[in-house]
């Protein structure tokens, strides 16, 4: 069915061709022309509906136009022998048809949107055509003596109507990039109508109104092509034309515009301008064309320049805040650095700002809230800082400010910047309400060393400046949130060192150069170990022992942590299995192992761990995984699922360094954790700081309410131990009992029969130099 529907236009073309031939050879000519006209009206009325073309309005107008043309032709044929004005009744219909036809074209045009350039080009062509038709047809026709006025008017009207049609068709062709069959059929139809009218206009010069029968041929062909255009499936595309990307003067366009521009000159030379009317027509028409050309040219240049500016702006600015982006920033920094400036003491200062807590806002209130926050921070910075300061957004939540200024000015800027981000911001929540959020920022500050540099060197200097500012920012972040750090050269060395460590660590992990030390976790009432924490150790071939505080962070940044962490788990679990087998520890003894947030982002983490446990024969309850609070705060749905899987396995989960991070009670309740480890910093103050004592008391109360196991870490003195026991903390870990040691030393020190030596332990040197 749909195939047949799609082929209908071909059938129509065939029918039109047969009728046209019949008409041409004068066999049933009247019937043939009536059939073409009638079927064409039907095609325009129903064709668009057949293909679900929207909107229908232009097609209805076309149908009306075709109906009027058809009636016009019939009536004219019937009344051809009558005297004026009866003979002109047919023309009245045709003129009405033109009215509808022009309305249809205008409707199409309005659907496509008016393009300034297309209109200007169309007008140029139109004026050229109007000049030609006026001088060639309208004026000669008007000057034929002894004709009824109505005949003269109508004869002059056709060329003008044709001219308007030319304008609209040219305009449509200039506007759209679509050249589909339906559009081409329609265009050919209009061309044929134009040719037909031209024929009549030519004979009209001699006062004839009716020519030989064959002069109707172009109109019959026009009906045929028009009907096919309406039936063609691509008629749909006519109403939603794709605008031409660039309104350039392409070759086809020049072929249309060129003759129009040449028209006044050609007409002057060929026809002469002997009468005042002709002179005025040529003068005014020519001047109008020149003016339009000028407008068109300057308009094209301007819109080209505007597009260029827009493009450049997009390439160099952040779309969200409108601030310069990283690319623009480096150009501006280079410019600042290459400026020769006499004012001593003023250097280029760069402030690299990274928001803290932005991810939390994004996750809790949604991306629109996060976007709003970024925009607000950008606006605040702009208002707070001097106009001479350049503010750029260089990453999701990273801003850079640069300015050439003195040191006191730079420090004032730093304070203003921090103040901007610390003040509470209002965001719109996903539910439509508003929320006050408080974020902070870590900032790295750096100044260029030289007051000015040469342009060639500025490029490298700008990059170096950004790198140094970034390094200082990371240093600020490491030392805690909401801080700024001024760059110094030792940080560059630290970065280099970090890179070296990463390279060496990669090799160490591959070659299993790492080892594990075990620190006992003591039941305070008995002084006997209830478990041990596995702590990773690395003996670097050149640097000697490197502490985990240095290399774990490097491993986390470089994703080495997954391989490293997996190895630690395998190794410590099999160590526990050996101890259990050798009778070093009893059945209740557990192993605590630190796991990084990144490890918990691996969907098969729990599954693999389950396999490791089965292989070693260690029950899952004898393994405690120590996770950081950030896992619960910043973790995704995926980490959450991994935690649930781990609990399902039977593995225990403890929150390490408890109290240092976000410490929201809600987190503990919402996540499947079984214990907390009170951070060393609180244990430190026990016996001297009442505040720390209160914190530990609160943690114990909360943990017992939530049935969580509590371990205190970093216990160094008997006084701390006594306070902890008084507060009801049952388990602890610290140098008071023992440092982390290699497995053999651990077994030698803590296996049964070695009890009661904890008082001596304090003085013992660590077997593995670590803490
Ligand atoms: P942590 O989990 O908080 O481990 C406790 C740290 O405190 C250990 O440092 C331990 O040796 C030290 N410590 C124990 N008792 C005392 C004490 O009485 N006083 C003092 N001042 N310190 C004590 P270490 O071994 O240098 O480990 C540092 C951190 O490195 C660990 O902190 C842990 O976060 C991380 N880490 C160690 N091994 C691994 C591992 O295999 N995987 C992961 N992801 N992280 C690890
Ligand atoms: Ca730990
Ligand atoms: Ca800890």
């Amino acid at each position: 069915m749909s195939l047949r529907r799609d082929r209908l236009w071909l059938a129509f073309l065939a029918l039109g061709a047969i009728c046209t031939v019949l008409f041409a050879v004068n066999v049933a000519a009247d019937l043939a022309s009536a059939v073409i006209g009638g079927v064409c009206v039907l095609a325009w009325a129903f064709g668009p509906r057949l293909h679900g073309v929207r909107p229908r309005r232009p097609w209805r107008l076309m149908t009306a136009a075709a109906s009027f043309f058809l009636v016009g032709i019939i009536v004219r044929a019937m009344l051809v022998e009558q005297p004026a004005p009866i003979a002109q009744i047919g023309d009245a219909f045709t003129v009405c048809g033109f009215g509808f036809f022009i309305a249809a074209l205008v409707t199409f045009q309005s659907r496509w949107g008016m393009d300034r350039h297309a209109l200007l080009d169309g007008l140029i062509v139109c004026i050229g055509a109007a000049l030609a038709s006026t001088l060639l047809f309208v004026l000669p026709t008007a000057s034929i003596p002894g004709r009824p006025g109505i005949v003269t008017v109508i004869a002059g009207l056709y060329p003008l109507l044709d001219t308007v049609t030319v304008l609209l068709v040219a305009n449509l062709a200039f506007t759209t990039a679509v050249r589909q069959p339906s559009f081409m059929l329609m265009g050919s139809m209009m061309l044929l109508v134009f040719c037909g009218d031209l024929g009549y206009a030519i004979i009209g010069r001699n006062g004839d109104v009716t020519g030989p029968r064959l002069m109707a041929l172009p109109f019959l062909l026009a009906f045929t092509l028009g009907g096919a255009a309406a039936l063609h499936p691509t008629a749909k595309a006519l109403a939603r034309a794709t605008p031409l990307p660039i309104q350039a003067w392409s070759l086809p366009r020049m072929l249309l515009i060129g003759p129009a521009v040449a028209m006044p000159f050609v007409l002057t030379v060929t026809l002469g301008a002997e009468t005042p009317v002709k002179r005025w027509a040529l003068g005014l028409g020519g001047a109008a064309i020149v003016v339009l050309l000028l407008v068109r040219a300057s308009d094209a240049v301007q819109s080209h320049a505007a597009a260029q500016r827009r493009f450049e702006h997009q390439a160099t600015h952040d779309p969200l805040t409108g601030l310069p982006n990283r690319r623009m920033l480096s150009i501006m920094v280079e410019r600042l650095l290459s400026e020769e400036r006499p004012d001593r003491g003023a250097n280029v200062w760069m402030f690299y700002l990274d928001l803290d807590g932005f991810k939390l806002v994004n996750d809790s209130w949604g991306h629109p809230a996060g976007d709003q926050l970024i925009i607000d921070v950008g606006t605040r910075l702009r208002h707070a800082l001097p106009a001479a300061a350049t503010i750029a957004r260089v990453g999701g939540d990273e801003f850079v400010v640069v300015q050439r200024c003195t040191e006191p000015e730079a420090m004032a800027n730093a304070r203003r910047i921090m103040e901007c981000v610390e003040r509470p911001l209002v965001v719109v929540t996903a539910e439509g309400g508003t929320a006050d959020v408080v974020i902070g920022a870590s900032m790295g500050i750096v100044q260029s060393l030289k007051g000015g540099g040469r342009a060639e060197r500025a490029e490298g200097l700008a990059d170096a400046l950004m790198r140094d500012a970034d390094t200082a920012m990371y240093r600020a972040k490491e030392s805690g949130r909401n801080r700024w750090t001024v760059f110094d050269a030792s940080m560059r060395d630290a970065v280099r060192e970090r890179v070296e460590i990463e390279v060496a660590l990669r090799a160490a992990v591959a070659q299993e150069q790492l080892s594990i030390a075990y620190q006992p976790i003591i039941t305070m009432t008995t002084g006997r170990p209830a478990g041990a924490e596995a702590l990773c150790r690395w003996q670097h071939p050149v640097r000697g022992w490197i502490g985990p505080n240095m290399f774990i962070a490097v491993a986390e940044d470089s994703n080495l942590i997954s391989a490293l962490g997996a190895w630690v788990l395998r190794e410590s679990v099999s160590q526990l299995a050996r101890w259990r087998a050798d009778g070093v520890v009893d059945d209740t003894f557990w192993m605590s192992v630190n796991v990084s947030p990144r490890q918990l982002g691996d969907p098969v983490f729990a599954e693999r761990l389950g396999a490791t446990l089965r292989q070693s024969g260690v029950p899952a309850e004898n393994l405690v995984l120590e996770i950081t609070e950030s896992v619960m705060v910043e973790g995704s749905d995926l980490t959450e699922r991994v935690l649930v899987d781990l609990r399902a396995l039977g593995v225990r989960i403890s929150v390490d360094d408890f109290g240092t991070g976000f410490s929201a009670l809600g987190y503990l309740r919402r996540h499947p954790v079984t214990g907390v480890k009170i951070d060393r910093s609180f244990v430190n103050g026990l016996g001297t700081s009442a505040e720390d004592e209160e914190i530990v008391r609160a943690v114990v109360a909360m943990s017992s309410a939530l049935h969580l196991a509590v371990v205190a870490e970093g216990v160094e003195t008997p006084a701390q131990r006594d306070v902890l026991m008084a507060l009801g903390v049952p388990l602890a870990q610290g140098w008071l009992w023992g440092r982390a040691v290699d497995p053999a030393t651990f077994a030698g020190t803590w296996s049964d029969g070695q009890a009661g030596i904890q008082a001596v332990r304090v003085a013992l040197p660590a077997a593995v130099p670590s803490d």
Side-chain angles (χ1 to χ4, degrees), residues 121-175:
D121 289 351
L123 269 175
I124 292 171
V125 175
C126 178
I127 292 177
L131 264 184
S133 69
T134 306
L135 264 74
L136 283 170
F137 309 120
V138 180
L139 292 180
T141 318
S143 57
I144 292 171
R147 256 210 326 200
I150 178 81
V151 179
T152 306
V153 168
I154 285 183
L157 209 54
Y158 280 119
L160 289 179
L161 286 172
D162 278 330
T163 309
V164 174
T165 314
V166 167
L167 164 71
L168 289 165
V169 174
N171 202 18
L172 282 180
F174 287 153
T175 307

Side-chain angles (χ1 to χ4, degrees), residues 229-310:
L231 290 173
H232 199 278
T234 52
K236 240 192 245 177
L238 269 181
R240 45 179 161 76
T242 329
L244 278 175
I246 317 158
Q247 296 292 328
W249 272 335
S250 59
L251 183 66
R253 201 173 271 231
M254 291 301 271
L255 287 178
L256 269 174
I257 294 172
V261 174
M263 196 59 80
F265 308 103
V266 173
L267 290 174
T268 310
V269 173
T270 53
L271 299 180
E274 61 284 357
T275 67
V277 180
K278 280 190 180 175
R279 273 200 296 278
W280 274 102
L282 286 168
L284 284 178
I289 287 179
V290 169
V291 169
L292 286 171
L293 272 179
L294 282 177
V295 172
R296 172 65 162 90
S298 81
D299 208 74
V301 169
Q302 269 167 24
S303 65
H304 184 261
Q308 183 80 19
R309 276 196 301 274
R310 219 170 28 243

Side-chain angles (χ1 to χ4, degrees), residues 385-444:
L385 294 168
T390 296
I391 303 162
R393 181 178 178 220
V394 296
D397 58 352
E398 291 173 18
F399 292 86
V400 168
V401 176
V402 269
Q403 192 188 349
R404 182 184 282 282
C405 58
T406 63
E407 182 159 358
E409 284 168 341
M411 291 304 119
N413 273 357
R415 278 189 293 276
R416 285 196 203 110
I417 293 172
M418 291 310 269
E419 202 268 329
C420 278
V421 278
E422 281 164 9
R423 239 185 311 140
L425 287 142
V426 181
V427 296
V428 177
T429 63
E431 293 80 40
T434 57
D436 272 354
V437 298
V438 182
I439 55 163
S442 305
M443 182 162 68

